[in-house]
Amino acid sequence: HERQPKQAIRFGDWKAVRNQIGGPLELYDLKTDAAERHNVAVQNAELVANRDTHKSKGFGFVTMTTIDEAKRAVDELHDKDFMGRKLVVSGAKTSDVRNYSDQDN
């Protein structure tokens, strides 16, 4: 990585880097990008936290930049052990939207 990161973590072929505390997360696939030139990070990442204590609830939501990157993340990361816990990585779930105003009583 070109700059000296403030935080970094590696998991298999993936490396996450944060260059400033609280700054955006960069994600690199070291298998295809050992020089860390192509940030394949997400378009958006949200960690879910308790609104009173601001402590992480241990999960979040991620929007990847492409469907292929999202599928690869699911394939490579789901059910893997990370710091003593199993990762749960899945694609977005759609809900069954119903128009209740048109239902008969």
Side-chain angles (χ1 to χ4, degrees):
H1 197 266
E2 296 174 8
R3 299 166 289 188
Q4 189 66 20
K6 299 281 186 198
Q7 297 175 318
I9 189 165
R10 181 161 177 193
F11 185 75
D13 292 323
W14 297 93
K15 181 177 178 184
V17 175
R18 191 180 312 259
N19 290 304
Q20 62 185 28
I21 304 299
L25 192 65
E26 297 175 14
L27 182 65
Y28 298 96
D29 178 1
L30 300 178
K31 183 188 289 184
T32 60
D33 182 23
E36 299 175 28
R37 296 186 193 277
H38 303 286
N39 178 9
V40 295
V42 299
Q43 289 179 336
N44 184 45
E46 289 184 47
L47 294 177
V48 178
N50 179 294
R51 70 177 154 194
D52 297 324
T53 66
H54 304 291
K55 289 181 68 175
S56 170
K57 289 189 173 186
F59 67 96
F61 299 94
V62 175
T63 304
M64 303 296 286
T65 54
T66 69
I67 291 173
D68 287 339
E69 288 171 359
K71 288 179 180 178
R72 183 159 181 246
V74 171
D75 290 344
E76 293 193 15
L77 298 174
H78 179 68
D79 212 29
K80 297 290 192 273
D81 185 66
F82 181 72
M83 298 177 70
R85 298 178 71 180
K86 292 280 185 183
L87 292 175
V88 177
V89 181
S90 65
K93 309 277 190 296
T94 58
S95 61
D96 182 19
V97 178
R98 298 177 189 192
N99 186 349
Y100 289 100
S101 62
D102 291 339
Q103 288 184 348
D104 294 327
N105 291 340

